[in-house]
Amino acid sequence: MDVLKKLSAKISEWNFYLEEGDKPISIVSWLVDAIVLASASLAISYLWFVYKTKTPWLSVIFAIVVTGAISAAHLKLRAKQLERKRQARLNSAAATYRKKELLSLTPEQFKWRLAKALFHSGKFEDIKIGKRFLKATYKGKQALIGFYHAPYSQQVPPFEVYKFLEILKHCGYTTGFYFTSSSFSDTCYAIQQDHDDLELHLLDGDGLLKIMEKSGMFNDRDAVNLYLKSEIDRSRLRRRQARRRLLTPAKARTYILYGLLFLVASFIFQTYFIYYLILSVSFVLLGILVYIAHPKAKSVKARDEVFNE
């Protein structure tokens, strides 16, 4: 029982790594594809070797070898894909968790976190923390560092960037940095380009997180793993609701297409007409069964109709 639970948990974890947005992908569908590929490869290679060698037992051996090579290459490719997707989801989960934690800070806490990140980056020296701004030496030049942090805000108001540029000019600075925990709009970047006489760097929340990560500030692996586990649990719940969508009409069409291809092959290689015909009928029936098993979308009543009942 424990083995089954561990296997189920592992499958749920793999499914989570395979997800692309709201599109659920199951590791089981990969397994089905591998079985279909191996079956088709075995049948086609066996029939081809029989046609060439006229020796059934030797054809079986050759077909198994060919099928094994194709299956091994396919599984190796899938393993690499899974590892890439796993690493991408881990990085995405860590970034999302850290972004949420950053957005939850108060403006004062954000200012001190920013100062710590700049200090640990090794690129800023003689950092001085003021009430509204930070001052530091960057590449031998004095730099003014501003920031905008409104918890859970989406973008920096363009006027804030413009106001910071005016302060830079008024105080005689030629280099400035403006950080935010959110993001900058296209207008903010347009304002930056219009003031090319000043060296202004705009760094959003993602850029700040990269600086903090490179500086080794994060010691939250356990917290990230817990967050990742919670996301996997949410994914499992979503999949329970969409489990019947595992065998989709797209899969049914693919199987039926395989059946039609084998049907065409049966007329081309008439000597082995019966073998190809059996394969054709098998794939067509599989496609029909998958299509029948797929649940039909339930009609949803319009909102006004519901209230008018």
Side-chain angles (χ1 to χ4, degrees), residues 154-174:
Q154 294 298 317
Q155 290 185 329
V156 177
F159 180 71
E160 294 293 332
V161 175
Y162 175 78
K163 186 168 62 175
F164 180 70
L165 280 166
E166 292 300 313
I167 293 173
L168 278 178
K169 292 180 181 179
H170 179 75
C171 297
Y173 287 92
T174 58

Side-chain angles (χ1 to χ4, degrees), residues 156-166 169 185-198 200 202:
V156 177
F159 180 71
E160 294 293 332
V161 175
Y162 175 78
K163 186 168 62 175
F164 180 70
L165 280 166
E166 292 300 313
K169 292 180 181 179
S185 64
D186 293 337
T187 306
C188 292
Y189 290 109
I191 294 173
Q192 177 192 29
Q193 294 176 358
D194 290 341
H195 294 76
D196 53 4
D197 55 325
L198 297 174
L200 175 63
L202 301 178

Side-chain angles (χ1 to χ4, degrees), residues 190-254:
I191 294 173
Q192 177 192 29
Q193 294 176 358
D194 290 341
H195 294 76
D196 53 4
D197 55 325
L198 297 174
E199 184 184 352
L200 175 63
H201 303 271
L202 301 178
L203 290 101
D204 58 12
D206 294 332
L208 178 56
L209 287 175
K210 288 180 181 178
I211 293 175
M212 297 170 72
E213 185 175 6
K214 289 181 179 179
S215 303
M217 288 182 58
F218 294 122
N219 188 22
D220 56 358
R221 179 52 57 188
D222 291 340
V224 170
N225 287 337
L226 285 175
Y227 174 76
L228 183 64
K229 185 178 182 301
S230 68
E231 289 297 305
I232 293 174
D233 291 339
R234 291 192 187 98
S235 173
R236 186 185 295 116
L237 290 175
R238 289 195 300 269
R239 285 179 177 276
R240 285 178 182 175
Q241 298 173 354
R243 196 175 298 277
R244 292 183 179 179
R245 283 179 265 168
L246 176 62
L247 298 175
T248 63
K251 290 285 185 183
R253 288 192 292 268
T254 301

